[in-house]
Amino acid sequence: MLNLKEKRVRRSLKTRKRISELNVIRLSIHRTNLHIYAQLIDNKNNKTIASASTLEPEIRKGISSGSNITAAALIGKRIAEKGKECGISNIAFDRAGYKYHGRVRALADAARENGLKF
């Protein structure tokens, strides 16, 4: 029997394989019980282009907790702004096997509203 983490990792590997075939920039997220992280990754060159998280000092001032939907929406907005600064508009969303609801959905919606196209 697989535990929850092994199931999530298995789902994420399938998704990453499909995304790598598309040859586009990948918006990868990671969430913990306390924080949420987002990265724009170029799979061709294996480089992280931009990143945002609830650990950044500017973000921490504006939120009470790093583990809620409002914090995730701020991270989505911030990563979209950083992506636009780098000239990125089309991306593939890598939810890392997490279900598309709650904080994951809030981050994705905020990134879409601020200029990234999935």
Side-chain angles (χ1 to χ4, degrees):
M1 295 285 295
L2 297 175
N3 63 20
L4 291 177
K5 183 176 179 183
E6 290 169 343
K7 288 179 184 179
R8 183 188 63 79
V9 169
R10 194 174 190 181
R11 284 191 305 267
S12 69
L13 292 176
K14 286 192 267 184
T15 304
R16 287 190 184 138
K17 183 178 179 189
R18 285 189 213 119
I19 290 173
S20 67
E21 294 170 355
L22 297 174
N23 292 326
V24 295
I25 304 297
R26 170 169 60 109
L27 172 60
S28 178
I29 64 160
H30 179 71
R31 72 179 169 90
T32 65
N33 289 338
L34 298 177
H35 299 287
I36 191 157
Y37 310 85
Q39 293 181 330
L40 290 173
I41 301 171
D42 183 6
N43 285 334
K44 294 177 191 174
N45 301 322
N46 295 326
K47 299 277 182 176
T48 299
I49 298 167
S51 66
S53 75
T54 53
L55 292 173
E56 295 179 3
E58 299 127 13
I59 299 293
R60 286 194 97 156
K61 291 177 187 174
I63 59 173
S64 61
S65 172
S67 62
N68 57 20
I69 290 175
T70 58
L74 280 173
I75 296 303
K77 180 180 177 183
R78 180 117 169 120
I79 198 73
E81 291 170 356
K82 288 184 176 184
K84 284 196 285 187
E85 288 175 6
C86 296
I88 297 168
S89 62
N90 291 327
I91 61 165
F93 183 59
D94 177 12
R95 57 187 172 86
Y98 298 113
K99 290 183 180 180
Y100 187 79
H101 71 96
R103 292 187 284 161
V104 175
R105 183 177 179 182
L107 190 145
D109 290 343
R112 274 192 202 102
E113 290 171 1
N114 289 291
L116 292 181
K117 296 177 185 173
F118 294 20

